[in-house]
């Protein structure tokens, strides 16, 4: 075999592809499930925390900032390991899917909270004043005037952050969530061939390129007044 | 003594920001349907005074009665009172994510609890009153400054306030757009609205105001009819201000 054949055999082996593609596809389904669950929970929780923070309740805000800083500082992998391998020692065993979902949701929530919060702070004081001067209370002003503007403003950074964090679904491989990377790694060790890993990469590209494009579309969609 | 007939009755109003006392004891009463102009140099406290009248600024002490309700009484529901106190801002402050009708409908729906159809009807009639009947669907960024300010006036008007406060309503406008806003204000006055206006539009003050109040350094220095204030000011500071202004 010449060099090219060796390379093609290692990364583009048709027999290995045929054998393990179904596993990779099953992994894609799992990745999509975890990713969707994380996006929905993480962004909702982040928005809720940012909204709560704008009430500026002293003790509550301290807790929010504490949570946010911790989860932005920690590598998600260590939290996943800690929860998955640590909690059973105190009698709490969570399925691996749940651990991955909860931990990534919390991480996304922490980042999303900061992004939404900076969006809320960026809304001019005049918007609050105009709404309050018509008799809207604080919560109504937040819900109908401030958050809709803040959320639109935060679509680009939020999209980037969401993509970055949902890619961390690959960390599920270390605790046995049968997502793309787990499937690819398993197939790679059974076949002794790197083709499954390449298939895994292609699977991520197939999943996330559309998300990147969706993000770009959202940015234009949410431009002022042209709904 | 509170003036029970007054629409707005301010007594002994003081406001400090930190160590700086911006309002040093303001007493002023507006009768129903009166148009009072507040003029004075920048930093005189006139905008702060206006903003105290719907508690956008929290006064340090004093009394503010609107339609005989004391705003500074902790039992007063300020959100309820603000429905009766319309406010128009220098920078319009329209909600950029809502069209003109939406800007007006928001408080009608959320504060007064009107149905969508009812709110829409009111919004359209208010827009017609400010000469923008055909702009209901326009977003703020599609409107000129003068049009935005007229939508903002319509938004305040829609709640049928007892009194309207104008904080330099034409200061952010190009000169050629000022006239349309003043026309709307004049029509409001003719419709019997009680109005307090902080502004530098002296010509408008001269022919539309019932009373002109001159403020300086956190106090009312002098007040009177436009003829008195512009024609024969009694106080040296008023004279100096007006001379500077006309220069």
């Amino acid at each position: 075999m010449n060099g090219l054949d060796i390379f093609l055999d290692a990364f583009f082996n048709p027999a290995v592809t045929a054998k393990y593609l179904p596993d990779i596809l099953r992994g894609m389904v799992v990745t999509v499930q975890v990713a969707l669950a994380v996006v929905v929970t993480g962004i909702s929780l982040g928005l809720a925390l940012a909204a709560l923070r704008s009430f500026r309740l002293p003790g509550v805000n301290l807790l929010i900032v504490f949570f946010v800083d911790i989860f932005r500082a920690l590598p998600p992998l260590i939290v996943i390991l800690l929860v998955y391998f640590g909690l059973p020692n105190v009698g709490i065993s969570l399925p691996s899917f749940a651990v991955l979902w909860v931990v990534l949701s919390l991480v996304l929530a922490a980042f999303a909270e900061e992004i939404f919060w900076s969006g809320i702070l960026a809304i001019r004081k005049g918007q609050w004043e105009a709404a309050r001067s018509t008799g809207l209370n604080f919560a109504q002003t937040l819900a109908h005037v401030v958050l809709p503007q803040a959320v639109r403003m935060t679509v680009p950074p939020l999209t980037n952050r969401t993509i970055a964090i949902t890619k961390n679904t690959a960390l599920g491989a270390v605790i046995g969530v049968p997502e793309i990377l787990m499937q690819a790694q398993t197939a790679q060790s059974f076949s002794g061939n790197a083709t499954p890993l390449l298939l895994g990469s292609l699977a991520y590209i197939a999943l996330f390129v559309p998300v990147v494009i969706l993000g770009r579309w959202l940015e234009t969609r949410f431009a002022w007044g042209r709904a | 003594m509170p003036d029970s007939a007054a629409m707005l009755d301010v007594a002994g109003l003081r406001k400090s920001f930190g160590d700086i006392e911006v309002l040093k004891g303001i007493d002023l009463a507006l009768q129903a349907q009166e148009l009072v102009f507040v003029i004075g140099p920048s930093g005189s406290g006139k905008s702060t005074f206006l903003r105290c009248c719907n508690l956008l600024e929290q006064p340090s002490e004093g009394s503010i009665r609107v339609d005989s309700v004391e705003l500074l009484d902790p039992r007063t529901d300020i959100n309820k009172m603000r429905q009766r106190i319309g406010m128009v801002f220098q920078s319009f402050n329209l909600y950029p994510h809502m069209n003109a009708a939406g800007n007006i409908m928001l408080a009608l729906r959320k504060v007064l609890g009107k149905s969508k159809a009812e709110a829409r009807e009111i919004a359209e009639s208010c827009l017609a009153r400010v000469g923008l009947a055909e702009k209901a669907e326009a977003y703020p960024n599609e409107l000129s400054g003068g049009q935005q300010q007229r939508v903002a006036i319509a938004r305040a008007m829609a709640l049928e306030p007892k009194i309207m406060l104008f904080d330099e309503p034409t200061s952010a406008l190009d000169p050629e757009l000022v006239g349309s806003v003043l026309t709307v204000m004049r029509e409001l006055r003719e419709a019997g609205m009680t109005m307090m206006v902080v502004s530098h539009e002296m010509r408008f003050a001269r022919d539309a105001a019932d009373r002109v109040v001159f403020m300086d350094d956190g106090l009312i220095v002098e007040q009177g009819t436009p003829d008195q204030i512009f024609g024969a000011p009694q106080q040296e500071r008023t004279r100096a201000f007006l001379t500077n202004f006309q220069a």
Side-chain angles (χ1 to χ4, degrees):
Chain A
M1 280 207 289
N2 64 28
L4 180 64
D5 284 340
I6 292 170
F7 176 79
L8 288 177
D9 183 63
F11 289 101
F12 298 92
N13 187 311
V16 175
T17 303
K19 182 161 183 206
Y20 292 106
L21 188 61
D23 289 346
I24 302 286
L25 291 176
R26 268 197 298 279
M28 280 176 83
V29 174
V30 174
T31 295
V32 169
Q33 286 169 339
V34 183
L36 282 180
V38 166
V39 169
V40 171
T41 326
I43 290 182
S44 315
L45 182 60
L47 185 60
L49 288 175
L52 182 61
R53 189 171 174 185
S54 57
F55 284 85
R56 297 178 199 272
L57 310 166
V60 175
N61 275 19
L62 213 62
L63 287 175
I64 293 174
V65 172
F66 182 73
F67 160 76
V68 164
D69 285 356
I70 296 286
F71 274 87
R72 291 198 304 161
L74 282 171
L77 178 57
I78 199 167
V79 187
I80 289 168
L81 294 174
L82 205 59
V83 172
Y84 189 70
F85 294 112
L87 284 189
N89 296 321
V90 291
I92 305 170
S93 280
L94 295 171
S96 56
F97 185 98
V99 171
L100 186 62
W101 169 52
V102 169
V103 171
L104 292 184
S105 293
L106 291 176
V107 174
L108 180 56
F111 281 98
E113 191 280 334
E114 278 304 286
I115 292 170
F116 285 130
W117 177 240
S118 61
I120 290 171
L121 292 183
I123 302 301
R124 283 179 302 130
K125 200 169 143 233
Q127 292 289 309
W128 287 95
E129 291 181 345
R132 297 304 304 273
S133 78
T134 60
L136 269 75
N137 64 29
F138 185 92
Q140 289 171 323
T141 303
L142 186 67
H144 301 291
V145 174
V146 175
L147 284 182
Q149 296 183 56
V151 167
R152 276 163 216 235
M153 212 185 287
T154 53
V155 165
L158 196 63
T159 310
N160 288 332
R161 184 52 72 179
T162 302
I163 291 168
I165 288 167
T166 44
K167 277 191 297 197
N168 281 328
T169 49
L171 297 174
V174 297
I175 55 170
V177 178
E179 46 66 70
I180 297 171
L181 180 59
M182 168 93 189
Q183 299 286 5
Q185 263 186 325
T186 310
Q188 185 261 334
S189 60
F190 278 120
S191 65
N193 185 284
T195 303
L197 289 174
L198 189 82
L199 291 175
S201 309
L202 294 176
Y204 279 110
I205 290 172
L207 286 183
F208 282 97
V209 167
V211 177
V212 173
I213 292 169
L214 176 73
R216 198 172 297 140
W217 178 78
L218 280 174
E219 285 169 32
T220 47
R221 167 75 225 278
F222 279 117
W224 290 141
R226 316 261 176 211
Chain B
M1 271 305 286
D3 182 344
S4 59
M7 192 56 84
L8 171 71
D9 188 7
V10 177
L13 181 67
R14 287 173 179 273
K15 168 69 181 172
S16 299
F17 293 104
D19 290 339
I20 301 157
E21 192 168 45
V22 180
L23 300 177
K24 301 176 178 172
I26 302 279
D27 300 283
L28 185 69
L30 265 69
Q31 304 307 313
Q33 311 205 345
E34 206 180 5
L35 194 169
V36 172
F37 241 75
V38 181
I39 61 171
S42 67
S44 58
K46 55 194 194 303
S47 276
T48 304
F49 168 47
L50 196 79
R51 291 161 54 83
C52 281
C53 294
N54 66 353
L55 298 200
L56 282 184
E57 300 291 353
Q58 187 66 37
S60 308
E61 66 178 83
S63 150
I64 302 169
R65 298 167 74 88
V66 172
D67 204 15
S68 300
V69 178
E70 174 58 63
L71 296 190
L72 298 178
D73 183 333
R75 286 164 301 181
T76 301
D77 178 350
I78 185 60
N79 294 324
K80 194 139 225 140
M81 289 309 295
R82 280 176 176 152
Q83 298 163 29
R84 306 190 206 166
I85 312 169
M87 178 124 184
V88 176
F89 300 85
Q90 178 176 353
S91 48
F92 329 135
N93 295 340
L94 292 183
Y95 315 131
H97 59 301
M98 295 181 189
N99 62 22
N103 266 271
I104 299 169
M105 288 163 68
L106 180 64
L108 291 170
R109 299 209 56 203
K110 302 298 168 188
V111 179
L112 299 187
K114 297 204 180 287
S115 72
K116 196 169 179 183
E118 229 178 332
R120 176 78 196 193
E121 201 173 307
I122 296 171
E124 280 174 2
S125 86
C126 288
L127 282 172
R129 277 182 69 187
V130 300
L132 294 172
E134 76 290 2
K135 294 290 187 188
E137 306 302 328
Y139 283 83
N141 65 356
E142 299 164 338
L143 298 170
S144 73
Q147 290 171 332
Q148 288 188 51
Q149 191 60 298
R150 283 186 282 154
V151 173
I153 292 173
R155 176 173 69 184
M157 217 164 75
L159 298 168
E160 298 182 0
K162 299 271 190 180
I163 179 170
M164 286 179 74
L165 310 171
F166 292 79
D167 189 5
E168 308 211 20
T170 57
S171 301
L173 296 176
D174 292 335
E176 75 271 20
L177 301 176
V178 169
S180 65
V181 170
L182 295 183
T183 304
V184 168
M185 290 171 66
R186 201 182 302 265
E187 281 165 9
L188 267 174
R189 167 180 168 59
E190 277 154 20
M193 180 60 72
T194 312
M195 296 157 80
M196 180 151 74
V197 183
V198 168
S199 170
H200 294 295
E201 296 292 339
M202 300 298 179
R203 276 217 352 243
F204 182 72
R206 202 181 250 280
D207 52 61
D210 295 298
R211 190 147 48 108
V212 176
V213 172
F214 174 68
M215 274 182 72
D216 192 17
D217 197 24
L219 286 167
I220 291 175
V221 175
E222 182 171 3
Q223 55 177 303
T225 64
D227 283 345
Q228 286 168 341
I229 297 295
F230 295 118
Q234 299 299 302
Q235 300 291 324
E236 186 49 44
R237 276 191 285 174
T238 317
R239 274 198 290 274
F241 172 74
L242 290 170
T243 326
N244 281 339
F245 206 85
Q246 278 143 11

